[in-house]
Amino acid sequence: MPRKRKLLAQLSALQSNSSFPPCDALENLSATPDGNSSAKSSKYFPAERKNPAQLEADFFNQPCVSLAKSFLGQILVRRLPDGRELWGRIVETEAYLGGEDEASHSKGGKQTQRNAAMFMKPGTLYVYQIYGIYFCVNVSSQGEGAAVLLRSLEPLQGLDAMRELRSTARKAPSKLLKDWQLCNGPSKLCQAFGIDKAFDQRDLTQDAAIWMVPGGDLPGEQDVVATTRIGIGSRGEWTEKPLRFYLRGNRFVSVVDKKREREMAAMGQVSGS
């Protein structure tokens, strides 16, 4: 019996002097300061992806027109500095095809400090200013100098924050904006999501403040209206090319082409007869 007590005493001493932390300390390796047990940086607990559902690089690596159509129904997410997240479904886009496109900022293949993002890898944001006040956001695609303009979003989450940002950007007292007025245009979209020149050249697949996730209900070809772009002026044949795409029947679209929609309806009636 004395021998057994001696062995137990030695074991107790060994545990008290051990350099290994107790079990509850090991559990705390993965805990955040606020008690959240989600994994942090540790060789014992590898950090998980922050946004496992977000659209990856291969999604953006498409020809410009294909990407412009593929964006419809996808969701843009913006995380504000205070942690709030804004979500919006993309309902309208425009394709700008690069060097050959007379309406593109990269026409003739000209690369400048302003449009450098258009020549970067697909999924890079190109943000530019118009009228010295407003911003527009584009996403680069396949093709030298090609990019897709995000024209309109359907707000899904964070609408109160969007109203705050729109009100601040307009710098004037005004009536409370309705839901459909928040993001129905490229500059309104940027105001509502707090997107400015600081977002130029950011990577949608890597950035912690802005990214895209897959939409749950993607449109079919019959749901997409292809029509002319807006506000590009007189650009010869490029003025009439159907490079603007929007979701038919969606009230968050900036400008509806009723003539084109009637044509689509007539074609549908013919095919169905």
Side-chain angles (χ1 to χ4, degrees):
M1 185 65 69
R3 177 178 173 80
K4 184 175 181 180
R5 283 199 298 269
K6 183 176 180 180
L7 288 172
L8 289 173
Q10 290 175 338
L11 177 61
S12 177
L14 179 63
Q15 288 178 331
S16 64
N17 293 328
S18 173
S19 59
F20 291 99
C23 291
D24 58 345
L26 284 173
E27 290 173 357
N28 289 335
L29 281 175
S30 63
T32 59
D34 60 0
N36 190 327
S37 61
S38 60
K40 288 292 184 181
S41 56
S42 164
K43 65 181 180 180
Y44 302 106
F45 299 92
E48 297 179 359
R49 288 181 56 81
K50 187 178 293 184
N51 304 304
Q54 77 181 69
L55 294 175
E56 300 288 352
D58 57 349
F59 172 85
F60 300 100
N61 191 22
Q62 303 184 47
C64 193
V65 171
S66 175
L67 184 61
K69 292 180 180 180
S70 296
F71 274 148
L72 298 177
Q74 311 295 355
I75 296 170
L76 182 68
V77 183
R78 167 82 164 94
R79 179 177 290 140
L80 299 176
D82 62 10
R84 289 181 294 176
E85 287 188 1
L86 313 178
W87 288 51
R89 183 183 184 219
I90 301 171
V91 299
E92 184 181 5
T93 62
E94 288 181 352
Y96 288 86
L97 308 185
E100 62 175 339
D101 188 342
E102 288 295 316
S104 176
H105 289 178
S106 58
K107 66 179 180 180
K110 184 177 181 181
Q111 183 174 351
T112 65
Q113 184 176 358
R114 180 198 190 201
N115 71 4
M118 299 181 79
F119 295 85
M120 294 181 178
K121 74 170 192 172
T124 302
L125 292 180
Y126 168 44
V127 181
Y128 64 87
Q129 198 167 22
I130 58 174
Y131 309 123
I133 306 173
Y134 306 113
F135 294 96
C136 296
V137 61
N138 305 254
V139 183
S140 65
S141 66
Q142 278 184 11
E144 193 76 359
V148 177
L149 172 68
L150 302 184
R151 275 202 64 89
S152 297
L153 300 177
E154 176 181 344
L156 300 176
Q157 176 181 313
L159 276 68
D160 288 341
M162 294 181 200
R163 288 189 177 91
E164 292 173 17
L165 289 164
R166 285 291 314 280
S167 177
T168 301
R170 289 186 295 168
K171 300 178 181 178
S174 58
K175 294 181 180 179
L176 188 68
L177 292 173
K178 297 179 180 179
D179 292 357
W180 64 269
Q181 296 174 313
L182 290 172
C183 305
N184 63 331
S187 60
K188 294 177 183 179
L189 183 164
C190 284
Q191 288 179 350
F193 270 59
I195 298 172
D196 56 20
K197 191 64 176 177
F199 283 78
D200 187 47
Q201 299 187 19
R202 292 197 187 186
D203 185 345
L204 275 176
T205 68
Q206 300 291 330
D207 203 89
I210 189 167
W211 64 92
M212 286 187 188
V213 298
D217 184 20
L218 299 182
E221 192 70 27
Q222 72 280 1
D223 302 314
V224 176
V225 179
T227 184
T228 55
R229 295 173 291 188
I230 295 171
I232 63 174
S234 179
R235 304 293 179 179
E237 63 176 323
W238 290 94
T239 303
E240 301 301 322
K241 287 187 179 293
L243 294 173
R244 178 166 69 98
F245 308 96
Y246 69 84
L247 296 183
R248 179 165 54 164
N250 188 285
R251 66 192 184 99
F252 298 92
V253 170
S254 66
V255 179
V256 171
D257 188 336
K258 294 182 178 179
K259 179 181 177 182
R260 178 58 187 146
E261 290 191 18
R262 286 194 298 267
E263 292 173 351
M264 290 178 67
M267 290 171 61
Q269 289 170 4
V270 170
S271 62
S273 61

